[in-house]
Amino acid sequence: MLEEVERWLERRSWSVADRPLDRLLAAKRARGTTVSVVLPALDEEATVGEIVTVIRRELMSEAVPLVDELVVLDSGSTDRTAEVAAAAGARVVARDDVLPRIPAVPGKGEVLWRSLLVTGGDVVCFVDADLREFRADFVTGIMGPLLTDPDVEFVKATYDRPLGSGPAAGQGGRVTELVARPLLNLHWPQLAGFVQPLGGEYAARRSLLERLPFPVGYGVELALLVDALHLVGLDALAQVDVGVRLHRHQDDRALGRMAAAIYRTAQLRLSRGHLVRPRLTQFERTEAGFAPRTHPVDTEERPPMVEVAEYVRKRRVA
């Protein structure tokens, strides 16, 4: 590990307990910082309601007004995600209703990018909507350094990710260990200190996010981290340990598609070239034997939001 990264780990890695709520409230009041929380959601009716409830109860009360707005960005759910989230107290926005002149495509990055148009906070916190046994620490952890340290611009949550239950459950994050971490260590060694580079819980200043391009799919987390490093430098990035993250794990084929998208995202940032064939073929066992299934690899990115006319006009009015 680079000496620079070792110093960064000591200087920019914290625990959620390092910043109690009273310190965050005082910093928020002193600086007048506004905070938006965004939950990208696709068919998450089983978990999204509890997440919204916890945030509203613990971080949006008169006693603890840390979060100013809570938005669930529904990415075309076919279940009751939107209804459950609204009943719990979130503002629910449909992906296809945001920036309709640009047809939406499936993908998490697409939803995160569009969320900048329907939120107004100086700090934007992204939290996955499939978390179980959710705690407010996930939000206070990632927003904390941004409220208390003006030099920090981007914060990732770190945590254990049990794969199953019991003492021998092992760790999740297979794509992180097999794809993202090797790529970062080999090509962006300054980012080797991030424990969960692909984690879905992170926060950043709007002034940074609006200058970054967003891959539309699974590559968004790696892209934002790499591009933020180049734009603001390692010392403006940080991570906070929030404990344990419980969520729904993907099957191997979904992980393969995720890995391909992440590799493609890294390749574009290394060369700004193009894949010869942006497709991934996987195999499923059928009655007739192994059958090939070919999937497209995400090849589209959305531009920095400061290049979108509707966003620029909205920010000028605000």
Side-chain angles (χ1 to χ4, degrees), residues 178-201:
L178 297 176
V179 181
R181 200 177 308 285
L183 284 171
L184 292 175
N185 276 262
L186 289 170
H187 300 296
W188 296 280
Q190 286 178 297
L191 298 175
F194 277 92
V195 178
Q196 296 289 355
L198 300 185
E201 288 67 50

Side-chain angles (χ1 to χ4, degrees), residues 20-242:
L21 288 180
D22 56 351
R23 182 182 173 193
L24 298 186
L25 286 168
K28 186 177 191 297
R29 285 193 295 264
R31 294 184 170 88
T33 306
T34 55
V35 177
S36 301
V37 175
V38 173
L39 276 62
L42 176 63
D43 295 332
E44 304 293 358
E45 67 175 356
T47 50
V48 69
E50 178 63 16
I51 297 172
V52 171
T53 297
V54 170
I55 293 173
R56 286 191 58 82
R57 181 181 66 234
E58 300 186 24
L59 303 178
M60 300 182 74
S61 66
E62 288 188 16
V64 186
L66 277 173
V67 172
D68 298 285
E69 65 176 343
L70 173 57
V71 175
V72 171
L73 219 308
D74 188 9
S75 187
S77 296
T78 57
D79 66 0
R80 298 175 60 251
T81 291
E83 180 182 340
V84 169
R91 176 161 64 95
V92 179
V93 178
R95 175 199 61 197
D96 294 351
D97 291 341
V98 184
L99 201 61
R101 74 170 175 86
I102 300 178
V105 298
K108 181 181 181 182
E110 178 82 351
V111 174
L112 299 184
W113 182 70
R114 289 174 188 263
S115 76
L116 296 181
L117 266 164
V118 294
T119 56
D122 304 315
V123 168
V124 182
C125 305
F126 297 122
V127 177
D128 282 349
D130 66 343
L131 301 188
R132 295 182 284 111
E133 300 180 23
F134 178 78
R135 305 180 317 281
D137 287 352
F138 278 88
V139 178
T140 57
I142 58 177
M143 75 162 68
L146 296 163
L147 294 179
T148 61
D149 190 334
D151 295 327
V152 174
E153 298 206 35
F154 188 101
V155 182
K156 297 280 291 192
T158 70
Y159 33 68
D160 293 308
R161 296 180 63 185
L163 186 62
S165 59
Q171 287 287 318
R174 290 159 286 175
V175 176
T176 293
E177 298 302 329
L178 297 176
V179 181
R181 200 177 308 285
L183 284 171
L184 292 175
N185 276 262
L186 289 170
H187 300 296
W188 296 280
Q190 286 178 297
L191 298 175
F194 277 92
V195 178
Q196 296 289 355
L198 300 185
E201 288 67 50
Y202 50 99
R205 300 193 189 280
R206 176 177 295 274
S207 57
L208 172 61
L209 290 172
E210 66 187 9
R211 292 182 288 158
L212 299 176
F214 280 62
V216 297
Y218 286 128
V220 64
E221 269 85 27
L222 183 105
L224 293 179
L225 195 58
V226 169
D227 292 345
L229 171 69
H230 289 305
L231 200 59
V232 296
L234 181 61
D235 199 53
L237 314 182
Q239 61 186 349
V240 175
D241 186 351
V242 298

